[in-house]
Amino acid sequence: MSNEKLTSRSENYSEWYNQVIQRAEMADYAPVRGCMVVRPYGWALWENIQQSLDGMFKATGHVNAAFPLFIPMSFLEKEKEHVEGFSPELAIVTIGGGEKLEEPLVVRPTSETIIGHMYSKWIKSYRDLPLLINQWANVVRWEMRTRLFLRTLEFYWQEGHTAHATEKEAVEETLRMLEVYTRFAVDDAAVPVIPGRKSNTEKFAGAVHSYSIEAMMGDTKALQAGTSHLLGQNFAKAFNIQYLDVNNELQYCWTTSWGVSTRFIGAIIMTHGDDQGLIMPPRLAPIQVVIVPIYKNDEERSKVMPVVEKIRAELNNIRVKVDDRTEVTPGFKFNDWELRGVPLRLEIGPKDVEKGSVMAARRDIPGREGKSFLPQDNIHQSVSDLLVNIQSSLLKRATAFRDSHIFDAASYEELLIAVEKGWAYAWWCGEPGCEAKVKEDTKATTRCIPIEQPGGNGKCVVCGETAHEKVYFARAY
RNA sequence: CGGGGUGUAGCGCAGUUGGCAGCGCACCGCGUUUGGGACGCGGGGGUCGGCGGUUCAAGUCCGCCCACCCCGACCA
């Protein structure tokens, strides 16, 4: 661990990002190119994300299951767009047990195909529907360039796969899970996101429609933080997922899939972090409160530690860490836990023992301004209140930042300026040509066509033709 | 695959006209410290990316190879 200052976030955002992750011991690259080791502290955050999402999945009637890591190549080839979309980034096993395989096995880049294969066996009757299954898994996509959490060769995620009797139900499911992701991002991660539909060029290979939640990072670039796909009957037809309806007629199912990955950790880091390092939203923070005892000698220690233990015991259902390391100074610990993003720090020293107080320092407000004395009495209540307050102020701050970097673009000139400074919000006719022109001129792409629309019509910001929908253009990760 | 760059201690780097392999941080030991990144003294750690060449002598000069990073095309 280093005790040097971090690179400033405004000076070099990408260096800041890598430094924070490494110094906070969130993750490392493994010796193999592009693969990521998630360190215990990073994994603890992921576990909290898992727990939060899993609770919402259960509440909406989904159950967990597991499917194979290896998928026969022929499975992917059954859906034309799917294999075309994924073939450049597949890792393929050609040798097994020293023998060349009859048919290559693909290391799953996503599991629609193998799950579709199983669903065709499992689903026979309308009584089997809807089938609502989620899988927590790792997947592999052979990316050209990797970035910790955001784009790694292997990543961890959850992928939900559902089958329904009607299109209407599948559409409802797709939007329901988009809503679940939105609630998770906003309420638990304090990451404001815009739910919307992807353009045809940006959608998932094999989907009818893709939806996503889009977040703005601290450098104003956009990050797709979760996706929900309406697969229509594309996979049902490719894999023969059929059922007999009440009239004894054979019907194809309507399917969906949706996922959130370890990429979301990157979203949290880049949304909330500052020049001191990470800031964890209290609801997901691996450590919510760190207590730093302060003493000069054994005598002071013997007075301070019982108070520390008493406070720790009272904060029973809060994730508390007592940093009783003796080899580093309190000042070092302050910086260390700030780097790791612990939302609230309690300092307890001889003065607090005398006064019956503790010093509380909130992570979201740096320096003296974020410090206050709390009475030791009723500490559980005051700490809980502070955590709630920090959670909501993080969301408020991120939302204000995002909104001040979204610009209405009424003309192409305005769009060019807007995507330099943040996101452009503009009418778009839906033509891929207009989208491609923007990408060529600015590197910005359509992020999503938001669910909430202003209504009425406008003129496409690129070609001037009549447009029915407004869309966000932005540079993206 | 195209353009640019870098390989020297765990990490970050310096190394001049070729002449004993260095610095900061980290690590280990002892002591003093401890309310915002402590200090002193002592210590351990190297196939200088690899192979070959020039030379009395190569981290340094020459040739070939390898690896990695950044910018493009691709992407949750």
Side-chain angles (χ1 to χ4, degrees), chain A residues 232-423:
Chain A
Q233 292 183 310
N234 292 349
F235 284 85
K237 285 180 176 165
F239 288 90
N240 259 310
I241 312 173
Q242 288 179 300
Y243 70 96
L244 281 169
D245 68 13
V246 283
N247 302 315
N248 201 34
E249 280 173 32
L250 211 47
Q251 305 283 356
Y252 283 109
C253 286
W254 299 79
T255 65
T256 81
S257 69
W258 26 274
V260 159
S261 74
T262 36
R263 171 178 251 210
F264 206 96
I265 294 175
I268 290 171
I269 295 168
M270 289 199 292
T271 298
H272 300 306
D274 65 10
D275 278 359
Q276 306 305 313
L278 303 174
I279 302 179
M280 297 285 183
R283 291 181 66 129
L284 296 176
I287 299 169
Q288 294 169 306
V289 176
V290 65
I291 301 178
V292 179
I294 290 157
Y295 47 81
K296 288 185 175 61
N297 47 49
D298 283 350
E299 192 209 330
E300 284 186 1
R301 187 189 148 88
S302 66
K303 286 180 184 159
V304 166
M305 288 315 284
V307 178
V308 168
E309 286 308 324
K310 188 190 87 184
I311 302 286
R312 189 225 294 259
E314 282 180 36
L315 301 176
N316 50 22
N317 63 343
I318 295 169
R319 295 188 287 273
V320 178
K321 161 96 184 168
V322 174
D323 187 353
D324 52 3
R325 285 179 290 178
T326 52
E327 67 273 19
V328 290
T329 61
F332 183 92
K333 294 176 186 175
F334 298 165
N335 285 287
D336 199 27
W337 293 111
E338 279 168 12
L339 175 68
R340 287 171 159 72
V342 175
L344 187 64
R345 180 180 73 241
L346 300 180
E347 305 168 19
I348 303 175
K351 293 178 206 165
D352 299 293
V353 175
E354 268 174 46
K355 293 191 296 184
S357 64
V358 304
M359 171 70 92
R362 49 190 292 171
R363 177 64 182 85
D364 58 329
I365 305 174
R368 199 171 293 268
E369 311 234 321
K371 289 191 172 188
S372 59
F373 282 106
L374 300 179
Q376 285 173 22
D377 296 336
N378 211 15
I379 191 75
H380 188 278
Q381 190 60 47
S382 46
V383 163
S384 302
D385 290 349
L386 259 177
L387 289 174
V388 169
N389 191 295
I390 293 166
Q391 179 83 27
S392 67
S393 86
L394 284 176
L395 177 62
K396 214 158 125 190
R397 183 160 79 185
T399 308
F401 176 83
R402 180 194 67 184
D403 292 348
S404 66
H405 289 87
I406 295 179
F407 306 99
D408 254 291
S411 67
Y412 199 64
E413 289 68 37
E414 284 180 18
L415 181 140
L416 293 179
I417 296 166
V419 296
E420 286 296 318
K421 295 189 293 186
W423 297 6

Side-chain angles (χ1 to χ4, degrees), chain A residues 153-229:
Chain A
L153 284 199
E154 178 189 14
F155 58 92
Y156 296 85
W157 75 347
Q158 59 68 216
E159 46 179 329
H161 297 267
T162 68
H164 306 264
T166 65
E167 178 176 25
K168 181 169 170 283
E169 281 177 52
V171 169
E172 281 168 6
E173 169 76 2
T174 309
L175 294 174
R176 179 182 307 122
M177 298 325 284
L178 188 70
E179 174 61 27
V180 162
Y181 287 160
T182 305
R183 276 204 341 257
F184 160 75
V186 174
D187 295 348
D188 290 338
V191 172
V193 291
I194 294 172
R197 196 178 82 244
K198 284 297 204 183
S199 74
N200 275 339
T201 52
E202 295 280 330
K203 77 172 191 208
F204 178 76
V208 171
H209 288 307
S210 285
Y211 296 83
S212 71
I213 50 172
E214 298 287 331
M216 184 188 284
M217 304 295 99
D219 60 353
T220 76
K221 282 171 90 172
L223 184 81
Q224 182 173 315
T227 50
S228 185
H229 310 294

